[in-house]
Amino acid sequence: AGLYRRLVEDTGAGELQLHAMMELAAIESAAKRPETALGLLEKLQAALKGRAGDSVKGLAEQAAYRVGLAQFELGRFSDAAGSLSTFVTTYPSSDSLASACFYAAEALFRVNKFDQAGKHFEQAITAGDAKLTWQGPALLRWGDCLGRLEQWTKSEDVLNRYLKEHGDSETWYQATFGIGWARENLGRHEEAVTAYRRVVEKHKGPTAARAQFQIGECLFAMKKYEVAVRELMKVDILYDYPEWSAAAIYEAGRCLEKLSKTAEARKQFEAVVEKYGGTNWAGLATKRLGELSRVAMPGHSQN
C-alpha cells in the first residue's frame, strides 16, 4: 500500500499511476475502508476520462464495478443500484457481470424497488455459475421479490427451485414460508398450512411465530373457526413476539365472534388492549370493543 501511494502521488508515473490507484483501492476495500476506496476510484475515473487504449479500458471497467461495490458497502444503496445497473448495461460481456447484477439487485431490494431488483436477480442467476455462493441467496431474493409483486405462482416456482437446489441451506425456512404465503394468496389454504407447519416444526424464531399465525389465518379462511382459535392462541403461548401475539389474539377474537361467542371474543379483544397496548392491533381491538358495546345497546342489532 505504501508503494502504491507513492505512485499515486507521483505525477510523472504516467499510466502506472492509474494502475496504482486501482490496486490501492482494492487494498483499502479489502481492509474494510470503502470510503477511502471510493475516493480513490472516483479520482481514477476522473483521470481516465478522455484516455484510450486497451489497458485503460480495462481499468475503466474495473473502476465502474468497484465504485458500485464501495457504495453498496457504505449503505448508499440508491447510488450503488445506479452505478451497478449502468455497469451491467455498459459491460454486458464482463467477467464481473453476474456479480454486478446480484449487487445491483440487492441494492434495489434495499430501496424497495422489487420489480427492477427481481429482473437483476434473474439475470444474475442466468449469467453466473451455479456453484457461486450468492446463487442461492439470489434465488431466494428473487422469489421474495415476486411475492412482494403478488406474482404468486412464479414466486412459488422460484422458491421451490431454491429448496430443490439449496434445501440444506440455513435459510430453507424463509423459502418454505414464502411458498406457504404464495399458496395462501392463491387460495390454496390447505397446501399453505402444510408449508407453514414445516416451518413451525423445524424452526424457532419470528418466522415460526408468523407461520403459526398464518396457520390460524388459513383455517379462518376455511371457516374452521374453532380449530383456528386453538392454532392462533398457540402464537401467544409458544412464542415471545408481541406483534404476532397481539395479532393472533385479535384474530382469535374474530373467530369467536363468528362462533357467536361474543363474551369470549370480548375477552380476547380486551387482552390485546391490556397486554399489547403499543401495537396497531390494540387500536383495532379497541374499535371492535366499541362496536360490540353498541351492538349490545337496546335498539341495535348485530348486523
Side-chain angles (χ1 to χ4, degrees):
L3 290 170
Y4 286 138
R5 286 193 188 95
R6 286 172 60 185
L7 281 171
V8 168
E9 294 165 3
D10 185 352
T11 55
E15 196 170 289
L16 279 177
Q17 183 188 44
L18 305 179
H19 287 275
M21 285 183 194
M22 175 60 71
E23 297 302 328
L24 184 55
I27 289 173
E28 294 293 343
S29 179
K32 305 299 181 184
R33 292 190 289 267
E35 189 167 1
T36 305
L38 181 59
L40 285 163
L41 291 164
E42 290 174 338
K43 184 177 179 181
L44 173 58
Q45 286 183 317
L48 287 170
K49 286 183 178 179
R51 291 178 177 254
D54 290 341
S55 62
V56 170
K57 182 180 178 182
L59 280 175
E61 178 182 328
Q62 291 181 59
Y65 173 68
R66 289 182 176 276
V67 161
L69 292 189
Q71 290 169 334
F72 186 92
E73 290 295 323
L74 287 166
R76 291 167 49 182
F77 298 121
S78 292
D79 291 339
S83 296
L84 291 167
S85 294
T86 299
F87 177 90
V88 168
T89 303
T90 307
Y91 303 102
S93 300
S94 173
D95 290 341
S96 301
L97 179 66
S99 176
C101 287
F102 175 79
Y103 282 104
E106 185 64 22
L108 288 162
F109 186 92
R110 302 286 184 94
V111 294
N112 300 324
K113 295 184 177 180
F114 302 116
D115 187 25
Q116 296 175 56
K119 291 173 182 176
H120 278 302
F121 280 127
E122 183 177 12
Q123 188 177 1
I125 293 162
T126 303
D129 186 336
K131 295 180 181 179
L132 293 172
T133 56
W134 48 259
Q135 283 286 74
L139 268 174
L140 185 60
R141 282 292 209 209
W142 183 22
D144 191 355
C145 286
L146 291 166
R148 291 170 188 262
L149 294 168
E150 299 185 4
Q151 297 179 29
W152 304 116
T153 299
K154 194 169 182 180
S155 176
E156 182 182 7
D157 289 344
V158 170
L159 293 172
N160 273 320
R161 176 182 167 185
Y162 172 84
L163 288 180
K164 182 178 179 180
E165 297 177 10
H166 306 279
D168 57 349
S169 169
E170 63 181 13
T171 51
W172 66 269
Y173 66 92
Q174 294 179 20
T176 305
F177 179 89
I179 289 168
W181 184 237
R183 291 173 178 175
E184 182 178 348
N185 281 280
L186 287 167
R188 291 157 48 200
H189 295 105
E190 289 187 5
E191 293 177 71
V193 168
T194 298
Y196 291 141
R197 287 204 189 282
R198 289 196 194 104
V199 177
V200 170
E201 290 167 1
K202 298 182 179 181
H203 179 68
K204 305 296 181 185
T207 303
R210 185 177 175 193
Q212 182 64 54
F213 173 75
Q214 295 305 145
I215 289 171
E217 290 289 83
C218 287
L219 292 165
F220 187 106
M222 290 188 282
K223 300 183 179 180
K224 297 181 178 181
Y225 302 121
E226 290 196 13
V227 185
V229 170
R230 291 198 295 271
E231 295 293 341
L232 287 164
M233 295 310 296
K234 287 180 183 179
V235 178
D236 191 47
I237 295 168
L238 299 176
Y239 301 95
D240 186 23
Y241 298 101
E243 179 184 356
W244 294 115
S245 288
I249 296 171
Y250 177 83
E251 291 294 273
R254 289 182 63 217
C255 288
L256 289 164
E257 280 194 88
K258 293 290 185 181
L259 293 166
S260 299
K261 297 181 178 181
T262 306
E264 292 180 45
R266 184 186 295 277
K267 288 180 181 178
Q268 299 306 317
F269 296 137
E270 290 172 347
V272 176
V273 175
E274 181 181 344
K275 295 173 65 176
Y276 304 106
T279 67
N280 292 333
W281 296 100
L284 292 173
T286 300
K287 181 179 179 181
R288 195 72 200 113
L289 284 167
E291 291 169 352
L292 289 175
S293 295
R294 285 195 295 275
V295 168
M297 292 173 63
H300 288 76
S301 66
Q302 191 132 7
N303 294 328

